[in-house]
Amino acid sequence: MLDMTSTILDNDGLSPDEREKAARDEERVRRGFWAKIKATAARIPFAEDAVASYFAAFDRNTPLRVRATLMAALAYFILPLDVMPDIFPIIGFTDDAAVLMAALKLLSGHVTPEHYTAARDALGRLKDETA
C-alpha cells in the first residue's frame, strides 16, 4: 500500500534552498497535476509514467532526494509555458517527456511496480469518467 500522507518537507536531508524549491514544486504539482493529466492523457504516450512518477513523488517510502527530483520534473510537466509550448500538436510535449524520462531513467529503481499499478488504476478511472 502506498503511503501518500506525507509531504516533501516531512524529512530532512535537503538544504534550505532545496527544501524551499521542493515545497514550491510540490504545491504546483498538487494544484495542477490531475487537471493536466485529464486534459492530456489521451494525447501523450508517457501518461502512465507521469502518473507513476506522481505516486512515487508523494510516497513517503520514496527517498527524499528522489521525491524532490520527481516533484521538479512533474512541476515542469504542468507548467503552462515551457521550452516547447504544449499547444503544438505532438512536438509540444517532447520537452515534457524528455524531462520526465530523464528523471525516471536516473531514478528508475524508486518508481516501483506498485506505483505503476496505482497509475494504471488512476488512468482507468479517468478514462471511465470521460467516457
Side-chain angles (χ1 to χ4, degrees):
M1 177 96 172
L2 298 176
D3 184 353
M4 309 251 312
T5 59
S6 65
T7 66
I8 207 79
L9 300 177
D10 284 345
N11 298 310
D12 206 12
L14 297 178
S15 73
D17 289 342
E18 291 171 322
R19 203 173 298 122
E20 185 178 317
K21 181 183 182 322
R24 282 193 313 270
D25 289 344
E26 179 180 338
E27 183 56 32
R28 183 173 290 128
V29 171
R30 283 189 187 278
R31 277 194 326 263
F33 181 79
W34 289 108
K36 177 83 174 221
I37 283 294
K38 284 179 185 177
T40 62
R43 298 188 325 234
I44 57 174
F46 60 92
E48 186 176 309
D49 292 311
V51 178
S53 296
Y54 174 91
F55 285 120
F58 283 99
D59 185 349
R60 185 173 114 172
N61 296 315
T62 301
L64 180 61
R65 287 212 176 269
V66 173
R67 291 168 56 202
T69 302
L70 289 171
M71 212 57 85
L74 292 168
Y76 183 83
F77 168 65
I78 62 172
L79 283 174
L81 298 173
D82 51 29
V83 174
M84 184 66 62
D86 298 338
I87 59 170
F88 297 118
I90 302 171
I91 63 167
F93 292 108
T94 56
D95 61 322
D96 298 327
V99 168
L100 188 58
M101 293 302 115
L104 279 172
K105 181 87 169 157
L106 289 169
L107 310 168
S108 62
H110 298 287
V111 183
T112 67
E114 188 176 34
H115 298 131
Y116 276 97
T117 298
R120 283 189 292 279
D121 292 346
L123 288 169
R125 286 189 303 275
L126 284 178
K127 186 177 179 182
D128 290 345
E129 287 176 14
T130 60

